[in-house]
Amino acid sequence: LTVAAHIVYTLPLVIFFIISCYYHQAWMTVPMYLYRMFRWGWNIASLGVMVNFYIYTLTLSSFREFLKSRMKMITTLLIRCYTASEDERSVEEGEERRLLPALN
């Protein structure tokens, strides 16, 4: 499924590059349809990269598990950062200030 989608998404760019090989002139003399074809091909290929994320999420259970584990890790980190008390923050900031000169 992913390979077929990749072929469909990159086909317009491949066609553009094949056609543009026959134009050995400066880019100013290339017909306008080639510029439009390049733009459409590039947009479709970019869309394909974005769609692959959803295809992987829907079809691969291991990818879903990977995403779940990363989201849990990120949410835990954010919760810890935003719920730390003022005392904990001042201790952490003091430690960071103490360690900064050692890093330089």
Side-chain angles (χ1 to χ4, degrees), residues 43-75:
N43 287 334
I44 290 171
S46 298
L47 180 69
V49 170
M50 290 183 270
V51 168
N52 272 342
F53 172 77
Y54 296 104
I55 291 174
Y56 289 153
T57 304
L58 292 173
T59 58
L60 298 175
S61 60
S62 60
F63 187 68
R64 282 193 300 269
E65 292 301 319
F66 170 76
L67 288 177
K68 286 179 188 176
S69 69
R70 293 298 172 169
M71 291 304 291
K72 284 180 185 176
M73 186 172 56
I74 290 171
T75 53

Side-chain angles (χ1 to χ4, degrees), residues 10-23:
T10 57
L11 192 61
L13 269 181
V14 170
I15 292 171
F16 164 77
F17 287 126
I18 290 172
I19 292 173
S20 66
C21 286
Y22 293 108
Y23 285 95

Side-chain angles (χ1 to χ4, degrees), residues 80 84 87-97:
R80 193 177 331 148
D87 294 333
E88 291 173 352
R89 285 189 191 142
S90 63
V91 169
E92 289 173 0
E93 288 172 0
E95 280 296 309
E96 288 176 5
R97 286 188 194 129

Side-chain angles (χ1 to χ4, degrees), residues 9-10 12-13 16 36-46:
Y9 293 133
T10 57
L13 269 181
F16 164 77
R36 289 187 186 122
M37 186 177 198
F38 176 73
R39 224 178 316 161
W40 276 99
W42 190 258
N43 287 334
I44 290 171
S46 298

